Amino acid sequence: MTEMTIGEAASRLEDLVHRLGGSREPVALADENGVTALLVAPQVIEDLEDALAIAEYRRQKAEGTLGEGIPHAEVGRLLGLRP
């Protein structure tokens, strides 16, 4: 993980945005109190959300609290992937 001050990041924002687009390495933004924020590529967040959804599904399945699901074809339709 790369760490830099907020001021340095502000002056290099365009470069950082392009760099994040092709990398999974976060950039930590720090001030005098330490790291205050992370810049990450959107794919990193999407992967975390997917992993969280899968973990939640497995937890509900293990507990026997899994409700009625949505058929695969319907999910595809809702996401605009199917007619």
Side-chain angles (χ1 to χ4, degrees), residues 5 28 34 41 49 55 59 62 77 80:
T5 66
E49 289 172 341
R59 182 190 64 78
R77 189 187 67 70

Side-chain angles (χ1 to χ4, degrees), residues 18-26 40-41 44:
H18 291 293
R19 180 172 144 195
L20 285 170
S23 172
R24 297 183 64 80
E25 180 187 1
V40 297
V44 172

Side-chain angles (χ1 to χ4, degrees), residues 22-34:
S23 172
R24 297 183 64 80
E25 180 187 1
V27 176
L29 305 181
D31 64 12
E32 61 277 355
N33 297 316

Side-chain angles (χ1 to χ4, degrees), residues 3 8-9 11 16 37 41 56 64 72:
E3 185 174 324
E8 182 183 2
S11 68
L16 289 172
E56 177 64 15
H72 186 73

